[in-house]
């Protein structure tokens, strides 16, 4: 089973690198379109505007998102172009570099990635996984937003190419070799999906944890801030890959 999963992920990477297939869908191509932020490519950009307000700038290295002061929220939301069916399996690939990050709490991060699966009729809300990124580590959030699975990784000195693979009730986070379709190693993080209950969004912002098939990238806490470069984001269905 593990080898089949890795084969599926590797094949998914190959699709993301440019092979023609209906399985892989680009959600943001910052390097191909260096004058566009994710907002110009179909994402919704929401932010607060307290002093030292957030900024988002398209560059040749992708979009540089700076969430400003730690009291601000800033980030990109998008509904996946296909059903994020965790029963069949799917992958979200993203390339990021944490230029700087600061926080006032050890279980908060200025840059987070939230991926919410489809909602089954028997579920009160969909299952999801939220990943947090510091300059020197990454981790998953527990349902109560405490720190869960953690890995030490240098996210500051180079662009990291991650792939989040979801299957059934579990997730795995892989790192892809730069300019390659290959996995650098085994999963650097893995665990169970969660239902994040008890979250009340600030006025005017959606609750990402209750929205099926949603992907979020940015700062959604008032206890941290970050400056991050987002280069590329892809979504891949892997259900037909054996």
């Amino acid at each position: 089973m593990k080898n089949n999963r890795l084969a599926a992920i590797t094949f998914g990477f190959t699709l993301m690198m440019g092979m023609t297939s209906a399985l892989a869908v680009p959600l943001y191509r910052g390097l191909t379109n260096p004058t566009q932020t994710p907002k110009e490519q179909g994402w919704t950009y929401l932010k607060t505007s307290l002093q030292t307000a957030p900024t988002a700038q398209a560059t040749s290295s992708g979009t540089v998102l700076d969430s400003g002061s730690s009291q601000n929220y800033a980030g990109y939301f998008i509904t996946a172009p296909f059903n994020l069916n965790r029963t069949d399996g799917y992958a979200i690939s993203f390339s990021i570099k944490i230029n700087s990050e600061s926080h006032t709490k050890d279980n908060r991060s200025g840059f987070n990635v939230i991926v919410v699966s489809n909602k089954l009729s028997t579920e009160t809300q969909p299952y999801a996984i939220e990943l947090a990124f510091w300059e020197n580590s990454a981790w998953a959030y527990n349902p109560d937003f405490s720190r869960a699975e953690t890995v030490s990784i240098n996210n500051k000195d180079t662009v990291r190419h991650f792939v989040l693979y979801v299957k059934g009730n579990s997730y795995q986070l892989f790192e892809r070799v730069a300019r390659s379709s290959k996995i650098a190693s085994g999963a650097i993080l893995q665990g169970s999906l969660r239902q994040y209950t008890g979250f009340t969004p600030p006025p005017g912002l959606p609750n990402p944890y209750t929205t099926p098939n949603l992907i979020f990238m940015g700062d959604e806490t008032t206890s941290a801030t970050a400056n991050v470069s987002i280069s590329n984001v892809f979504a891949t269905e892997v259900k037909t890959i054996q």
Side-chain angles (χ1 to χ4, degrees):
M1 180 63 70
K2 182 177 180 181
N3 290 337
N4 287 341
R5 286 187 177 184
L6 290 177
I9 290 294
T10 301
F11 187 65
F13 290 166
T14 302
L15 294 173
M16 295 173 199
M17 294 300 290
M19 290 183 63
T20 301
S21 173
L23 297 178
V25 180
L27 303 182
Y28 174 61
R29 285 180 166 174
L31 303 184
T32 305
N33 300 286
T35 63
Q36 296 181 345
T37 69
K39 181 179 179 181
E40 283 73 57
Q41 296 188 27
W43 296 64
T44 298
Y45 177 52
L46 297 177
K47 65 176 182 176
T48 52
S49 299
L50 301 177
Q51 190 170 3
T52 313
T55 60
Q57 182 178 3
T59 75
S60 59
S61 300
T63 292
V64 177
L65 174 65
D66 190 327
S67 55
S69 71
S70 61
Q71 295 300 307
N72 280 303
Y73 297 87
Y76 293 98
F77 299 80
I78 194 170
T79 300
F82 54 82
N83 199 33
L84 296 182
N85 190 323
R86 61 188 177 88
T87 300
D88 294 332
Y90 64 87
I92 305 298
S93 171
F94 53 99
S95 299
I96 60 171
K97 180 174 177 286
I98 308 298
N99 303 311
S100 64
E101 193 277 344
S102 62
H103 44 272
T104 59
K105 297 180 180 180
D106 287 341
N107 60 349
R108 293 294 182 265
S109 171
F111 182 75
N112 305 278
V113 174
I114 303 172
V115 177
V116 186
S117 295
N118 62 317
K119 181 179 179 295
L120 303 182
S121 60
T122 56
E123 297 171 350
T124 56
Q125 76 175 57
Y127 278 82
I129 189 64
E130 179 172 7
L131 302 174
F133 295 87
W134 282 0
E135 295 174 10
N136 60 358
S137 63
W139 77 86
Y141 281 104
N142 283 313
D144 63 355
F145 299 103
S146 61
R147 184 193 290 250
E149 304 88 35
T150 304
V151 63
S152 296
I153 184 170
N154 183 351
N155 295 311
K156 182 176 182 178
D157 294 336
T158 187
V159 175
R160 296 291 183 184
H161 308 279
F162 295 107
V163 172
L164 174 66
Y165 176 57
V166 172
K167 175 69 174 178
N169 294 321
S170 302
Y171 81 90
Q172 293 175 291
L173 182 67
F174 296 88
E175 185 178 6
R176 176 173 59 80
V177 177
R179 302 180 184 277
S180 170
S181 62
K182 297 181 180 179
I183 298 169
S185 61
I188 61 174
L189 285 178
Q190 56 185 337
S192 300
L193 299 179
R194 283 99 186 196
Q195 288 176 308
Y196 294 97
T197 60
F199 175 77
T200 301
L205 297 180
N207 187 337
Y209 308 105
T210 60
T211 307
N213 304 309
L214 185 76
I215 302 168
F216 168 82
M217 293 188 175
D219 178 359
E220 37 70 270
T221 176
T222 57
S223 299
T225 185
N227 179 299
V228 58
S229 298
I230 307 171
S231 303
N232 292 294
V233 185
F234 292 84
T236 304
E237 290 183 276
V238 297
K239 65 181 181 179
T240 61
I241 301 170
Q242 303 297 326

